[in-house]
Amino acid sequence: FDGQLNARDSELLLTYLTAPYIRVPLLLRFFSDHARLRALGNAELRDVLDAALYEPSLWQPPGADAPRGLIPTVDRRELATPCGLLFNELRCSPRGVAMALDDMLDAALELDTGRFSPTTTPTLLYIIRTIVRVE
């Protein structure tokens, strides 16, 4: 990621990407940290976050709640949602997503100098775009 993340953070990010059902709040919380927020200036990292946020995942017909078995589950179909991971997260437990996005916005506002900067402007615009999309 062009040196935007250290080895520990890169490994943590990749670990979060493998967690199928809790990926969205984990990733948003990861990038809401002041030290990692600047990493979103990297287009490749923005693409990774977008792919994780807006991934539809396994589809489940509305009203067809699959019975939950053991946790962790052996059958990935039990993790299916009728609307995608982000919408499901907003519907079932919006607090984690909302708090992470709020923290991201607060951190982004601290980066704002009031004029264009090639290092921070892409990050600021991306965060604002993401918050507007989720809203």
Side-chain angles (χ1 to χ4, degrees):
F1 303 115
D2 293 332
Q4 295 290 331
L5 294 174
N6 61 34
R8 179 191 173 281
D9 286 344
S10 295
E11 186 176 340
L12 191 58
L13 174 66
L14 294 174
T15 302
Y16 289 166
L17 289 171
T18 63
Y21 198 73
I22 58 171
R23 172 182 312 139
V24 171
L26 287 175
L27 288 172
L28 289 174
R29 178 58 52 199
F30 177 83
F31 284 112
S32 69
D33 182 68
H34 290 272
R36 298 181 189 123
L37 186 73
R38 288 181 185 263
L40 289 174
N42 181 294
E44 190 176 39
L45 277 173
R46 291 193 304 262
D47 290 344
V48 167
L49 184 57
D50 277 346
L53 287 178
Y54 307 116
E55 174 194 5
S57 191
L58 296 174
W59 185 75
Q60 174 188 63
D65 285 339
R68 304 291 184 237
L70 296 174
I71 298 175
T73 182
V74 178
D75 186 6
R76 292 183 67 90
R77 289 179 293 181
E78 291 185 21
L79 302 176
T81 69
C83 305
L85 294 177
L86 177 61
F87 192 80
N88 190 64
E89 199 65 37
L90 290 170
R91 188 175 61 97
C92 296
S93 58
R95 186 173 183 181
V97 172
M99 287 177 59
L101 288 172
D102 189 47
D103 291 346
M104 284 175 82
L105 183 60
D106 288 343
L109 290 175
E110 290 178 14
L111 291 177
D112 186 19
T113 60
R115 65 180 111 131
F116 179 81
S117 167
T119 57
T120 59
T121 300
T123 304
L124 296 172
L125 292 175
Y126 174 76
I127 291 168
I128 292 168
R129 243 187 344 262
T130 301
I131 291 171
V132 169
R133 287 175 181 166
V134 171
E135 183 184 31

